[in-house]
Amino acid sequence: MGKKNSTIQKKKPQFIFQRKNYTFLFIGIAFIALGFILMSGGGSDDPNVFNPEIYNFRRIRLAPLLVLIGLGIQIYAILLDPSKKK
């Protein structure tokens, strides 16, 4: 048994993600957070008064697009293989 244990090499544990993966993950989180920040607001203080600001370009088109781009970046960051050389 002593001989068998001495031949087994102990491998250093490695993380699944590398620095490049985490960089893209944080960029994706920033896009998603910015999208939700841009989506907020536009309500009315008085519930009996309708505020048409809720339907402006920023809240209907830009903010959801940023959230979807952020989710796409997150998927790319998860699937990215940083050890692969070009």
Side-chain angles (χ1 to χ4, degrees):
M1 268 202 186
K3 225 178 196 186
K4 190 176 184 181
N5 288 338
S6 64
T7 59
I8 298 173
Q9 295 178 351
K10 293 188 177 187
K11 290 188 174 183
K12 184 179 175 185
Q14 293 181 348
F15 290 109
I16 295 173
F17 293 147
Q18 301 296 323
R19 182 182 180 112
K20 194 172 185 180
N21 294 90
Y22 287 115
T23 303
F24 279 108
L25 279 172
F26 289 127
I27 291 170
I29 289 171
F31 267 83
I32 293 170
L34 181 63
F36 278 108
I37 289 169
L38 290 176
M39 214 180 297
S40 67
S44 178
D45 295 331
D46 185 10
N48 296 323
V49 177
F50 178 73
N51 187 357
E53 274 296 305
I54 195 103
Y55 296 117
N56 65 5
F57 173 79
R58 186 184 85 190
R59 289 186 184 91
I60 297 297
R61 300 263 190 312
L62 181 63
L65 182 65
L66 285 176
V67 172
L68 290 175
I69 288 172
L71 290 173
I73 292 171
Q74 294 286 43
I75 292 170
Y76 175 75
I78 291 170
L79 296 177
L80 179 67
D81 186 11
S83 61
K84 185 177 168 183
K85 306 253 176 168
K86 287 186 177 183

